[in-house]
Amino acid sequence: MGNNRENETEIDLLQLAKALWHKAWAIVLVTLITAAMAFAGTKLFITPLYTASAMMYVNNSSISVGSTQVNLSDLTAAQSLVETYMVILKTRGTLEEVIKEANLPYDYEQLSGMIEAGAVNSTEVFSISVTSASPEEAEKIANTIAELLPNRIADIVEGSSVRIVDYAVVPSKKTSPSLSKNTMLGAMLGFVLSCGVFTVLYLLDDVVHNEDYVRVTFDLPLLAVVPDLTEKNSKSNYYYYRDDSKSGKEETA
């Protein structure tokens, strides 16, 4: 137990705060540098992406899924059907039809990764969102899916009815990356890393820099202080040389 206590290191938060405050200029500098790097990296090396969305409606009527009769008006749930339609949308057959119709330079896996779909606010309306580096391409793919999907679903789900609520339009603003968000994240990363480095250096520093540290940390009286003879113009320097030209004397105190 005694050895464990001897090995424990107490952290004086006030002294740590003072140490970080003395390095505030370096912390601010590192923060600004990492923020600038994040800004430049986002601006120069990350391709902006655009998202176009079309909206479709699941008709509220009785339909058959396999051998099961489903009455949509009794479900909280055209949502269960919406989920079914999402699966159909992402199937290889549907997407290869979209690729052929829109003459796209993608394979099934690439196009599937560009598409997201889901119910809108737990309603019978669902959205189809397509993300691409080209805003015109995103709009073209979303509208092609919206036009082909009703027939594709009708071929699979008997009695289904899906209608287009809203066609996609060419997006005017990019959806990613966020320049401000990435810059802020870069600044936060630089701030945290610099504070962490200076904190570690403070904890590893076992040098007693002044007599106040001994008084505050160990609560011990000081019997003597060794002056710093290398420090110039310091009040703690007890040795000095004076040339008295008038008297011709040299004194050493």
Side-chain angles (χ1 to χ4, degrees):
M1 292 294 291
N3 291 335
N4 290 336
R5 289 183 178 178
E6 290 177 1
N7 292 331
E8 290 179 357
T9 301
E10 292 185 3
I11 300 176
D12 188 331
L13 295 181
L14 182 59
Q15 291 297 324
L16 175 59
K18 289 181 179 179
L20 292 178
W21 175 252
H22 289 313
K23 297 295 184 181
W25 65 271
I27 294 173
V28 171
L29 181 62
V30 172
T31 300
L32 292 176
I33 290 174
T34 53
M37 291 175 61
F39 178 88
T42 301
K43 195 77 173 176
L44 299 176
F45 301 109
I46 300 180
T47 303
L49 298 177
Y50 299 83
T51 300
S53 299
M55 300 181 71
M56 308 193 73
Y57 171 73
V58 178
N59 191 28
N60 194 14
S61 61
S62 296
I63 65 173
S64 302
V65 182
S67 60
T68 305
Q69 191 76 12
V70 181
N71 189 344
L72 294 182
S73 62
D74 294 336
L75 297 174
T76 54
Q79 283 191 34
S80 62
L81 290 170
V82 167
E83 292 177 2
T84 300
Y85 296 162
M86 296 308 97
V87 173
I88 295 173
L89 165 61
K90 299 294 285 284
T91 58
R92 182 180 296 274
T94 302
L95 295 186
E96 286 183 348
E97 199 172 324
V98 171
I99 291 170
K100 181 179 180 181
E101 180 68 21
N103 193 26
L104 301 175
Y106 305 115
D107 57 25
Y108 160 72
E109 288 81 7
Q110 291 172 325
L111 183 58
S112 179
M114 298 167 63
I115 300 171
E116 291 185 1
V120 178
N121 297 327
S122 301
T123 64
E124 298 172 2
V125 176
F126 65 95
S127 65
I128 301 168
S129 299
V130 179
T131 301
S132 172
S134 166
E136 292 80 11
E137 183 180 72
E139 178 265 344
K140 179 181 180 181
I141 296 173
N143 286 333
T144 301
I145 293 173
E147 290 172 352
L148 294 178
L149 188 59
N151 292 333
R152 175 71 176 169
I153 291 174
D155 291 340
I156 299 172
V157 183
E158 184 181 349
S160 66
S161 178
V162 180
R163 299 177 182 177
I164 298 173
V165 175
D166 206 1
Y167 281 97
V169 296
V170 177
S172 57
K173 296 181 179 179
K174 63 182 180 181
T175 54
S176 67
S178 173
L179 192 61
S180 58
K181 180 181 178 181
N182 287 359
T183 302
M184 186 174 295
L185 288 175
M188 290 176 61
L189 179 62
F191 177 80
V192 171
L193 286 178
S194 58
C195 286
V197 169
F198 287 125
T199 298
V200 171
L201 291 177
Y202 168 80
L203 296 176
L204 294 178
D205 185 5
D206 56 1
V207 177
V208 178
H209 295 279
N210 54 58
E211 56 268 27
D212 291 334
Y213 176 83
V214 178
R215 293 195 189 99
V216 173
T217 306
F218 303 103
D219 192 24
L220 296 173
L222 291 178
L223 300 179
V225 176
V226 178
D228 185 358
L229 302 180
T230 63
E231 184 178 358
K232 296 180 179 180
N233 300 323
S234 173
K235 293 180 179 180
S236 64
N237 192 339
Y238 292 93
Y239 297 90
Y240 64 92
Y241 176 82
R242 187 179 69 185
D243 183 5
D244 192 341
S245 58
K246 292 183 178 180
S247 61
K249 298 179 180 180
E250 294 183 354
E251 297 182 2
T252 304

